[in-house]
Amino acid sequence: MALQFDLVVIGSGPGGYVAAIRAAQLGLKVGVVERESLGGICLNWGCIPTKALLKTAQVYEYLQHAQDYGLTVKEAGFDFEAVIKRSRGVADGMSKGINFLFKKNKIETVMGTGKLLAPGKVEVTRADGTKETVEAKSIILATGTRARQLPNLPIDDKKIIGYRKAMTPDNLPKRMVVVGSGAIGVEFAYFYRTMGTEVTIVEYMPRIVPVEDEEVSRQMEKSYKKLGINILTSAEVTKVDTSGAGCNVFIKTAKGEQQIACDVVLSAVGVQTNLENIGLEELGIKTEKGRIVVDNFYQTNVPGIFAIGDIVPGPALAHVASAEGIICVEKITGHNPEPLNYQNIPGCTYAQPEIASVGFTEAEARAKGYDVRVGKFPFSASGKAAAAGVKDGFVKVIFDKKYGEWLGAHMIGANVTEMIAEVVVARKLETTGHEIIKSVHPHPTMSEAIMEATAAAYDEVIHL
Ligand SMILES: Cc1cc2nc3c(=O)[nH]c(=O)nc-3n(C[C@H](O)[C@H](O)[C@H](O)COP(=O)(O)OP(=O)(O)OC[C@H]3O[C@@H](n4cnc5c(N)ncnc54)[C@H](O)[C@@H]3O)c2cc1C
């Protein structure tokens, strides 16, 4: 007898598990098929364990600069195994939390690999090879992604590693080359450099964190050079020779070919969707550029089959996957959800300094023909930043001169990943700069910099 549900979700990442819980709240009988661990990449191999490692690095950096705060620390040191163990413990705890939430919401977990057999029918293959069929009126695909592999950079998990091994290394490497300077690359670069590894970042584009505003990239490069990270931009890894004791990395740059010797290469060149062997071709589900094609409410071209998260177009971020999951099940249950506004999605990088942004960069806004008002407030002028000893970085805001629309905000510095939510809410409420300037921000806080940057855009800044 097949297991019967109203909704089956394949994949329990932040897309799948959030969709499942919301559906259960709305009265559906829900089953979730998962082949690995509850919580997906985010909780087990992404957002959460990396932030645990980054916190360790930050605390270690503070200890090394204790004298800046008038403190004496005899010798700051670490037990690397314990550092990794802490990160794994945090991830495991979060994954167990999903198990608890599923029980609370009467959601059934079916452990195994799911494959669509027909609309309304999923085959699940368990680890021991046995199979069972699960039936439901609606099916949501939320199978997520894995590390992208480049032909010149085949991941062997020994000398050329991906993010999973970078989170669970056997020991701390002496020298590491990080290929790619998106969020994942720069976060690991900060972690390893702070723990003592010699780190070189190789970035194909002309600047690191290339999707961010140009001024943010420049500040990040300055901060990373101060940390002792070697940066090569407009540079391409053509080959990695792993035949010797370590690795020899061949890099093509504008100045010619260069070779860097290191112990390990981290490939951080993006992610690739898990779309293979889930029955897409058999059912004729449309894909485009490696993602499943869906409408505004995540319905695929096959009625009753939906897709959310990293496998559909849009930024591959946990909060996006969760928002899509909620909209999808609200629509399935006959509610009237608002489609997601992909222009108002915050993006964050959790290295030190942190980066947070939402909306257009200054260059994008100008290219779209907006007459812009730009305001910038450096943390060097912030009382809280001075007191906390974190004066690097700034808040930059971009408004449309004609109607006052808040087009974008870009921040780099301590705590900015917490601050960006203010901008997201303000933009959602179609707030103008005037209302931000007149909203009293608490003093002393880093968030005052948002009010001050906005005031700078309108020539009303006080503390500059
Ligand atoms: C190192 C790293 C750091 C990151 N940090 C952040 C961050 O700080 N903030 C942020 O917003 N995002 C971050 N991300 C991205 C974030 O993890 C993803 O956007 C998010 O996990 C996507 O959620 P999802 O539900 O689409 O899929 P996933 O989280 O990838 O989950 C998919 C699940 O489906 C399961 N699965 C796949 N195929 C099958 C099948 N056939 N049958 C059964 N189960 C299956 C997988 O085992 C997995 O558990 C990070 C990613 C990485 C790699």
Side-chain angles (χ1 to χ4, degrees):
M1 253 288 275
L3 287 170
Q4 302 284 335
F5 298 101
D6 298 319
L7 169 72
V8 163
V9 184
I10 305 181
S12 71
Y17 86 73
V18 169
I21 293 172
R22 185 73 186 119
Q25 285 173 349
L26 293 170
L28 298 191
K29 183 170 187 261
V30 185
V32 174
V33 183
E34 172 56 58
R35 67 179 177 194
E36 204 181 331
S37 307
L38 292 184
I41 292 302
C42 173
L43 273 62
N44 296 286
W45 296 104
C47 324
I48 303 302
T50 51
K51 269 74 243 176
L53 294 175
L54 290 165
K55 191 66 198 179
T56 292
Q58 189 193 13
V59 173
Y60 185 48
E61 199 186 354
Y62 269 127
L63 291 178
Q64 287 170 313
H65 294 102
Q67 71 280 8
D68 297 352
Y69 296 87
L71 301 175
T72 313
V73 172
K74 286 234 168 66
E75 201 186 343
F78 57 83
D79 168 353
F80 196 58
E81 216 179 300
V83 169
I84 302 302
K85 204 169 150 200
R86 172 176 181 272
S87 161
R88 297 319 305 158
V90 171
D92 288 350
M94 296 304 294
S95 180
K96 286 197 182 97
I98 303 301
N99 193 30
F100 164 80
L101 290 174
F102 276 9
K103 285 203 170 117
K104 184 182 154 203
N105 286 284
K106 302 190 171 45
I107 295 165
E108 195 169 324
T109 306
V110 185
M111 287 310 291
T113 301
K115 181 177 179 178
L116 295 167
L117 286 182
K121 231 180 223 180
V122 174
E123 177 188 73
V124 182
T125 307
R126 292 205 186 82
D128 64 7
T130 57
K131 291 183 193 296
E132 85 177 292
T133 308
V134 177
E135 289 179 356
K137 191 165 166 234
S138 308
I139 299 169
I140 299 180
L141 301 170
T143 52
T145 53
R146 59 185 183 275
R148 182 175 158 228
Q149 298 241 22
L150 289 183
N152 295 340
L153 221 53
I155 294 176
D156 61 15
D157 272 341
K158 289 186 178 74
K159 290 186 178 168
I160 304 178
I161 63 172
Y163 59 80
R164 287 195 187 216
K165 191 71 189 171
M167 256 173 258
T168 51
D170 304 326
N171 44 48
L172 182 68
K174 282 207 168 60
R175 297 161 304 171
M176 174 184 261
V177 169
V178 177
V179 186
S181 72
I184 296 176
V186 296
E187 287 184 5
F188 279 117
Y190 172 77
F191 170 71
Y192 278 102
R193 177 63 203 135
T194 306
M195 303 310 288
T197 301
E198 271 176 40
V199 175
T200 299
I201 294 177
V202 182
E203 170 55 55
Y204 183 75
M205 301 297 279
R207 55 192 174 93
I208 60 167
V209 285
V211 299
E212 301 294 345
D213 191 270
E214 276 186 52
E215 287 189 74
V216 169
S217 288
R218 248 181 278 148
Q219 175 65 50
M220 191 68 169
E221 181 159 346
K222 215 161 102 186
S223 300
Y224 265 29
K225 284 191 169 156
K226 211 156 91 181
L227 265 178
I229 294 175
N230 181 25
I231 296 174
L232 296 175
T233 48
S234 302
E236 187 184 357
V237 172
T238 52
K239 190 172 82 178
V240 181
D241 179 1
T242 54
S243 60
C247 307
N248 201 12
V249 186
F250 293 73
I251 302 161
K252 199 166 88 189
T253 70
K255 292 180 198 141
E257 183 131 60
Q258 197 175 327
Q259 289 179 33
I260 296 183
C262 66
D263 305 305
V264 70
V265 177
L266 167 60
S267 172
V269 293
V271 291
Q272 184 176 333
T273 46
N274 294 322
L275 298 185
E276 303 83 357
N277 307 319
I278 55 171
L280 298 184
E281 298 79 9
E282 293 87 335
L283 269 74
I285 295 176
K286 268 196 208 143
T287 62
E288 214 174 85
K289 295 184 187 153
R291 309 258 184 131
I292 297 178
V293 178
V294 286
D295 70 9
N296 280 347
F297 301 103
Y298 310 102
Q299 164 79 64
T300 68
N301 60 310
V302 175
I305 301 180
F306 303 81
I308 57 168
D310 281 5
I311 56 171
V312 301
L317 292 169
H319 41 288
V320 174
S322 299
E324 290 171 346
I326 290 171
I327 292 170
C328 180
V329 296
E330 288 183 349
K331 186 71 179 176
I332 289 173
T333 49
H335 292 75
N336 192 21
E338 209 182 307
L340 190 59
N341 174 8
Y342 286 90
Q343 300 308 314
N344 200 25
I345 303 287
C348 295
T349 301
Y350 299 79
Q352 295 298 330
E354 295 180 351
I355 297 173
S357 56
V358 65
F360 295 137
T361 62
E362 184 179 347
E364 282 166 352
R366 288 189 192 280
K368 287 200 178 296
Y370 286 103
D371 190 6
V372 296
R373 246 177 219 291
V374 177
K376 199 171 147 191
F377 190 79
F379 288 123
S380 56
S382 149
K384 179 65 182 288
V390 286
K391 296 204 304 187
D392 282 352
F394 57 83
V395 171
K396 174 175 174 177
V397 294
I398 301 149
F399 288 89
D400 167 39
K401 248 187 202 163
K402 199 165 171 195
Y403 299 113
E405 185 188 351
W406 198 342
L407 298 172
H410 306 274
M411 313 176 184
I412 178 164
N415 301 339
V416 296
T417 57
E418 301 291 343
M419 287 157 52
I420 195 73
E422 171 180 345
V423 185
V424 177
V425 173
R427 279 164 44 96
K428 171 80 179 152
L429 300 174
E430 300 184 7
T431 302
T432 63
H434 176 77
E435 286 140 332
I436 294 297
I437 298 168
K438 298 301 174 200
S439 298
V440 178
H441 284 57
H443 177 75
T445 55
M446 300 293 278
S447 67
E448 283 172 297
I450 297 177
M451 178 180 68
E452 293 272 28
T454 307
Y458 287 87
D459 298 322
E460 294 178 29
V461 66
I462 302 293
H463 292 99
L464 276 186

